[in-house]
Amino acid sequence: MAKATTTDEKNKGKPGVKSAKPVRKGEGGTSTDGLHRALKVSPELADVIGGDDIARSDVVKKIWEYIRANDRQNPEDKREILADDKLKKVFDGRDKVTMFEMNKYLSKHLSNP
């Protein structure tokens, strides 16, 4: 009976083919990179979500908590966020934005500490 071979054994020595190495715990980034890096929040955004330095991923979570708690989603189109006075300051005075545009406006209110 023939021995079963793995993909790594088949591709061994072939140019341009890399074997996938498992990522060990603790590798592949730190808490100071990307979405997990703490950013300074503008006063306008702090009125909505609170806090000084917060990770971008947590900003998005907290803004959605605010939107849901204050019933700010358009019931006819859940992709739209209807801005109240606090959100208008974050959304450049717009009455409504889509969830896809929201991150563009949020990024204007986040900076490196």
Side-chain angles (χ1 to χ4, degrees):
M1 197 168 248
K3 180 183 169 191
T5 59
T6 64
T7 305
D8 288 343
E9 289 173 352
K10 290 178 188 177
N11 293 329
K12 192 173 185 177
K14 290 184 181 178
V17 177
K18 296 180 181 179
S19 64
K21 292 197 285 186
V23 177
R24 293 184 189 149
K25 191 172 186 176
E27 290 181 359
T30 63
S31 62
T32 58
D33 290 338
L35 290 175
H36 303 292
R37 180 179 60 222
L39 299 170
K40 186 157 180 62
V41 178
S42 73
E44 295 85 6
L45 185 57
D47 285 344
V48 178
I49 64 169
D52 284 330
D53 295 339
I54 189 168
R56 184 181 298 272
S57 58
D58 291 333
V59 169
V60 174
K61 286 178 190 175
K62 287 183 181 262
I63 198 87
W64 274 108
E65 287 173 9
Y66 179 87
I67 290 166
R68 289 186 182 112
N70 293 288
D71 198 29
R72 303 311 316 162
Q73 270 185 293
N74 184 349
E76 295 172 6
D77 185 359
K78 295 286 187 178
R79 295 174 296 176
E80 287 184 337
I81 299 159
L82 305 173
D84 58 6
D85 291 335
K86 287 184 178 182
L87 287 175
K88 280 183 184 180
K89 293 176 186 175
V90 176
F91 297 151
D92 290 340
R94 295 189 58 178
D95 291 329
K96 63 182 177 179
V97 297
T98 67
M99 65 174 68
F100 308 109
E101 297 174 310
M102 181 178 68
N103 286 324
K104 174 176 69 173
Y105 294 108
L106 292 178
S107 66
K108 295 177 183 179
H109 293 273
L110 299 170
S111 61
N112 290 324

